[in-house]
Amino acid sequence: MQENFSLRPFNTFGVDVNSKYFTEVLTIDELKDAIRYSKEHHLSVLFLGGGSNILLTRDFDGLAIKLSLKGISEEDINENEVLVTAKSGENWHEFVLYSLEKNYGGLENLSLIPGNVGTSPMQNIGAYGTEIKDIFVSCTVLDLENLELKTFNLKDCHFGYRDSVFKQEGKGKYVILDVSFKLTKKNHHIKTEYGAIKTELENMGITDPTIQDVSKAVIHIRQSKLPDPKEIGNAGSFFKNPTIPLTQFEDLKQKFENIPGYPNGDMVKVPAGWLIEQCGWKGKQIGNAASHKLQALVIVNATGKATGKEIFDFSTEIIDSVKEKFGIELEREVNII
Ligand code: EPU
């Protein structure tokens, strides 16, 4: 147990706040001990995974627990499918690379997403035409009230766009310990419908892509416009892409004829990056916080010295100006602590 411990290395924004207490756990028993300790000493608890989806706006007056449970196991389901289970502290991209090395298909479109396996179900991570709900089978969680283990199957997780039971009614009640995915061994479902992947594969001169090729294409696209948190602090997309009623979208189209939208029934998903760029924020910096010059949806710690509060206030200014210009209220995707 450490005291007055800097959480800077544990959040990809690189924000420097202290936690009153800090501990790292490698096993379920260590995790249970840490939780019991927090209960006995009436400490609030902050669980840290890969730290890639949080913004720490103040010092934390409790016990921060870094989850470092490691290990990957697998079990054949049938000739073509394998169940692969990774513990929560495994790095997501390393897990994707492990599956590609074994030629297991299903995770390739989710290459290079920052963070750990354990947080992937929280917001149903997704990119380039795949969400984890497409390959998710179950996860084991620790119930924080009685310290018992519980299994959540696909239907229990209530996955939606960047959403799950763990962000709604289950919020703050469970710690995810491991996640199991159903991957293919031979007959892979190659997903290249997402426009940018098609273009990238064409540029690479590939007409009949393997899962490894798709992964390479995704990695190229991400590297070309998303900042690497190791070089410049960020948490990926800061906001969700808003979904608005078709009627509202049609009204907006009268005024802003180039507005992009992806219809789904009587709703339309509008790219937040476009809305933010139209308000003049792309590449703009205030103090130490900025909107990324290549992808307006990403807020960066431009100087490495930004406080969480500064980044939060910057995001509020973006929300206000998008609301004023388009009448759309952006919702933060990043967890604010
Ligand atoms: N756009 C702009 N200006 C910008 C950025 C985007 O006009 O500065 C417009 C363009 O029209 C572009 C469209 O937005 O065609 C979509 O952009 P992009 O393909 O980059 O995707 P996104 O909607 O901005 C989402 C996810 C990303 C994910 C990509 C690819 C959310 C909140 N974000 O971004 O996820 O990698 O799609 O699938 O849904 C993350 O969650 O951290 C993340 C990076």
Side-chain angles (χ1 to χ4, degrees):
M1 181 91 77
Q2 313 265 354
E3 257 182 79
N4 294 324
F5 191 79
S6 170
L7 297 182
R8 188 177 199 150
F10 301 103
N11 71 99
T12 58
F13 262 119
V15 163
D16 197 11
V17 299
N18 280 346
S19 181
K20 190 160 184 199
Y21 301 103
F22 172 89
T23 190
E24 181 171 19
V25 296
L26 305 179
T27 64
I28 297 177
D29 284 340
E30 286 180 8
L31 172 61
K32 285 184 181 172
D33 283 347
I35 295 166
R36 280 192 204 102
Y37 182 92
S38 73
K39 287 186 178 177
E40 281 158 21
H41 294 82
H42 307 288
L43 295 170
S44 48
V45 172
L46 171 64
F47 294 104
L48 296 165
S52 60
N53 206 41
I54 51 167
L55 178 63
L56 301 164
T57 57
R58 58 188 160 80
D59 284 338
F60 183 66
D61 190 30
L63 171 63
I65 302 178
K66 166 79 179 150
L67 300 162
S68 297
L69 288 76
K70 297 275 167 70
I72 300 177
S73 60
E74 47 185 86
E75 193 185 311
D76 276 342
I77 300 173
N78 55 42
E79 268 209 341
N80 189 43
E81 288 170 316
V82 58
L83 186 76
V84 184
T85 301
K87 294 208 176 139
S88 59
E90 288 289 340
N91 172 272
W92 177 264
H93 183 58
E94 281 168 25
F95 174 54
V96 173
L97 293 179
Y98 165 96
S99 74
L100 290 169
E101 246 164 59
K102 297 215 149 190
N103 199 34
Y104 294 158
L107 298 173
E108 56 280 0
N109 294 48
L110 303 173
S111 297
L112 213 62
I113 294 184
N116 285 355
V117 169
T119 32
S120 63
M122 302 276 282
Q123 52 156 346
N124 179 24
I125 59 169
Y128 306 105
T130 301
E131 290 183 333
I132 68 150
K133 73 166 171 43
D134 304 334
I135 44 194
F136 178 95
V137 173
S138 63
C139 60
T140 314
V141 304
L142 183 71
D143 186 324
L144 290 172
E145 210 172 276
N146 53 21
L147 298 191
E148 281 174 14
L149 302 188
K150 203 173 158 183
T151 301
F152 275 73
N153 292 316
L154 179 62
K155 65 170 179 11
D156 307 321
C157 290
H158 305 162
F159 287 129
Y161 165 61
R162 295 293 190 274
D163 200 21
S164 76
V165 68
F166 305 109
K167 283 177 87 173
Q168 303 294 338
E169 56 276 32
K171 192 172 176 176
K173 292 189 183 159
Y174 308 103
V175 182
I176 296 170
L177 302 174
D178 65 39
V179 190
S180 299
F181 299 96
K182 198 199 293 189
L183 305 178
T184 49
K185 290 198 279 187
K186 329 184 259 218
N187 304 327
H188 304 309
H189 309 293
I190 306 277
K191 287 194 189 172
T192 56
E193 316 81 69
Y194 200 94
I197 296 193
K198 258 191 212 143
T199 315
E200 189 62 37
L201 287 167
E202 273 164 29
N203 292 343
M204 289 160 67
I206 291 166
T207 45
D208 188 14
T210 61
I211 51 173
Q212 290 79 6
D213 293 330
V214 173
S215 169
K216 275 187 202 133
V218 168
I219 289 173
H220 285 170
I221 302 166
R222 292 190 76 99
Q223 284 176 337
S224 72
K225 59 178 172 185
L226 294 170
D228 180 348
K230 287 194 203 94
E231 283 158 25
I232 183 160
N234 76 89
S237 301
F238 197 92
F239 304 98
K240 286 189 191 180
N241 285 327
T243 301
I244 61 172
L246 185 59
T247 46
Q248 185 184 359
F249 182 75
E250 277 161 358
D251 288 348
L252 283 168
K253 195 107 192 147
Q254 301 287 320
K255 216 168 145 199
F256 308 98
E257 58 181 45
N258 296 328
I259 185 170
Y262 310 104
N264 185 1
D266 53 5
M267 302 298 281
V268 180
K269 194 188 265 186
V270 182
W274 187 88
L275 299 170
I276 297 168
E277 182 173 349
Q278 296 303 306
C279 292
W281 286 101
K282 194 169 184 168
K284 192 166 162 181
Q285 184 170 339
I286 300 180
N288 298 298
S291 158
H292 187 53
K293 57 182 186 301
L294 302 174
Q295 170 40 298
L297 189 52
V298 177
I299 298 182
V300 296
N301 180 350
T303 59
K305 293 188 187 124
T307 61
K309 167 92 171 44
E310 212 175 354
I311 293 169
F312 182 82
D313 290 347
F314 186 82
S315 71
T316 305
E317 288 205 42
I318 292 179
I319 292 173
D320 291 347
S321 70
V322 169
K323 173 96 186 162
E324 196 183 315
K325 189 168 174 124
F326 296 102
I328 297 176
E329 183 124 15
L330 292 182
E331 193 188 327
R332 293 180 182 87
E333 192 209 297
V334 168
N335 289 318
I336 312 294
I337 310 281

